[in-house]
Amino acid sequence: MAAVSFKSIPPPLRPVARAYLLGYGAAVVPQILAFFLKHAKRLVRTKNRSDEERRRQEKSFLRNLARILTAGLDPLGLATFCAVLAAGPSLLQAPFYDLLGSSISSLTHITKLRTSRWLSSFISAWGGLWLLQTGQSETFCAGEESETHALDGNNIKRPRVAGNTIDVTLLTVTRALDVIVGEIWARHQARRKARGKWTKAESLISYIADPTVFAVSCGLIMWSWFFHPERLPPRYNKWITSAAQGDDRIIGILRRLYDGSIVYGEKSDGCDATLAAVCKDYNLPENYGNPAKSWPFPCVMFHAGQGITCEERAIRRFVKAWRKAMFTYLPLALAFRLRRRLSQKAILRSFFSASRSSAFLATYITLSYYGVCLARNRVGPLVAGRDISAARFLDSGVGVGTACALCGWSIFVETSGRRKDMALFVSPKALGTLVPRRYPIEKEWIERLAFALSAAVISTCVRENPKRVRGWLGRLIAYAIRE
């Protein structure tokens, strides 16, 4: 950004210009990186192509690159959305302040300042999200009103649905809640310490707040991944599936046990082939997969060939996940250190940092699987019993629920700073599992209201106490609003 100067722009318009450029970069840069990677892979596959084919690919490359660059300039796109968010507080705050001063003379300066900031932020946030929803609704195929023909020949209208901006709203709402709760707790802490009444219990609450948010959020996310994957963003769901490194058939068996498609003591309908294939692929007796005779299913059936005992499987799962994560985290840690002189000490720090992050992810994955074994084969039978009704109960969601409840506490492996960032990262996705991702388009105003209220809280706070808006969002907004 050193080459970009905003000094020639009037101060009130500088936040608008800066926000527009940030929004344009956020919309375009990820697409360009993905496009370049895809193009590089294509070049490797067709390195022996003819001159004519090379020229055709070059034209296609430039045409697609131009399309990506111009798409970011869409007047109803992300760049305009960010500019509108910044324009309200920058351009409307002064008029609102004067209006409040002339209409309600009893208000103090700080009250008028905060109220004018909040009102200007609320209006710009409402208008910005309206523009973004308007622009994206045209490309949202599921949201288009269409007609389908029923068996009797009558046309049935499917209601138009919305929700393509829900992830932006969820992020904003969770950050606003973080600001409000954090400010209330900070004031409580200041009062208690001033009186000398701050207790160890209150210190413990401060210490475990972010890990608890992370653990609860991960519990909701993993429960949705196991049983309700449609509640998660498609890319995030795909990433969890890739990181889990599991057998999709085994996940499917757990889902069928949960929804009652497989019932112990009864012959399964439509699941015999899958159960038999799992037993065959992992060299297990075929009767292990017969719910009428084998209940509960032996845990080794869920181990995917990674160990006889549950503990052996957990250790193997941890080692495998840690090793795979190191191939991702170590290069990133070294690249981060390259900004400075890469000494032997820096290399060691990079290795330990990457190892710690890899251990966190490996622990998370291990607990996600071992929790199932713990509930259905280790602790669960001691509590619920070992008869067929207990087996049905433990495999109807208790095992998976135990895994979901345990996996998030692996966050204590990470540093305290990263615990905060990771809690802020997963909380919007967890909230998304509790609200519909698609809803009637007539209710878009509810999402706009939630977004505008939350954005107004964040915008007002970052102008008065920037450190209260934690994480990258607070730093980004503080940079964008500078005049």
Side-chain angles (χ1 to χ4, degrees), residues 208-419:
I208 67 171
D210 286 329
T212 302
V213 170
F214 181 84
V216 172
S217 298
C218 287
L220 293 171
I221 290 170
M222 294 305 296
W223 179 266
S224 297
W225 178 74
F226 271 107
F227 298 133
H228 307 283
E230 72 281 354
R231 296 179 182 175
L232 297 173
R235 291 184 180 179
Y236 191 60
N237 181 53
K238 185 178 179 180
W239 179 84
I240 295 176
T241 303
S242 175
Q245 308 172 47
D247 189 330
D248 292 340
R249 297 173 301 176
I250 293 176
I251 302 299
I253 293 171
L254 290 171
R255 288 171 179 166
R256 292 185 180 98
L257 286 167
Y258 170 73
D259 64 23
S261 300
I262 299 177
V263 180
Y264 291 138
E266 301 177 9
K267 183 177 175 60
S268 61
D269 296 328
C271 303
D272 293 344
T274 302
L275 294 168
V278 169
C279 293
K280 181 180 178 180
D281 291 347
Y282 298 122
N283 300 317
L284 299 173
E286 189 173 344
N287 65 338
Y288 276 16
N290 187 347
K293 298 179 180 179
S294 178
W295 47 263
F297 290 143
C299 249
V300 69
M301 186 175 162
F302 297 94
H303 293 176
Q306 295 188 6
I308 303 299
T309 68
C310 300
E311 289 70 30
E312 179 188 357
R313 185 240 193 162
I315 293 172
R316 289 190 177 188
R317 176 71 64 176
F318 179 89
V319 173
K320 181 180 179 181
W322 182 87
R323 186 168 55 239
K324 182 178 181 180
M326 280 293 286
F327 282 105
T328 300
Y329 285 120
L330 186 57
L332 290 175
L334 290 172
F336 180 78
R337 297 286 179 181
L338 282 176
R339 299 184 306 170
R340 304 170 187 173
R341 186 177 178 182
L342 194 61
S343 61
Q344 183 178 1
K345 187 177 182 180
I347 293 175
L348 287 174
R349 286 182 177 177
S350 299
F351 177 82
F352 286 124
S353 176
S355 179
R356 186 169 188 168
S357 296
S358 300
F360 152 72
L361 185 58
T363 305
Y364 186 100
I365 294 172
T366 301
L367 290 176
S368 298
Y369 285 101
Y370 184 68
V372 177
C373 295
L374 194 67
R376 70 186 307 273
N377 192 41
R378 290 291 186 259
V379 179
L382 300 178
V383 178
R386 300 183 182 275
D387 57 2
I388 191 170
S389 60
R392 290 174 178 174
F393 170 70
L394 293 174
D395 277 344
S396 65
V398 175
V400 172
T402 302
C404 295
L406 289 176
C407 63
W409 297 105
S410 58
I411 191 64
F412 280 107
V413 177
E414 276 287 11
T415 62
S416 58
R418 289 181 180 175
R419 292 173 203 164

Side-chain angles (χ1 to χ4, degrees), residues 53-65:
E53 186 178 357
R54 184 183 294 107
R55 286 192 295 270
R56 186 168 60 251
Q57 287 188 354
E58 289 176 355
K59 290 181 180 179
S60 176
F61 172 80
L62 294 175
R63 184 169 58 253
N64 290 329
L65 181 61

Side-chain angles (χ1 to χ4, degrees), residues 171-182 450 453-455 457-458:
L171 172 65
T172 310
V173 169
T174 52
R175 291 305 182 91
L177 290 174
D178 180 71
V179 166
I180 295 171
V181 174
L453 289 171
S454 303
V457 169
I458 296 172

Side-chain angles (χ1 to χ4, degrees), residues 70 76 89 123 127 193 197 230 236 249 329 405 443-444 454:
T70 54
L76 298 178
I123 292 174
K193 286 187 174 180
K197 295 183 179 181
E230 72 281 354
Y236 191 60
R249 297 173 301 176
Y329 285 120
K443 296 184 178 181
E444 271 190 332
S454 303

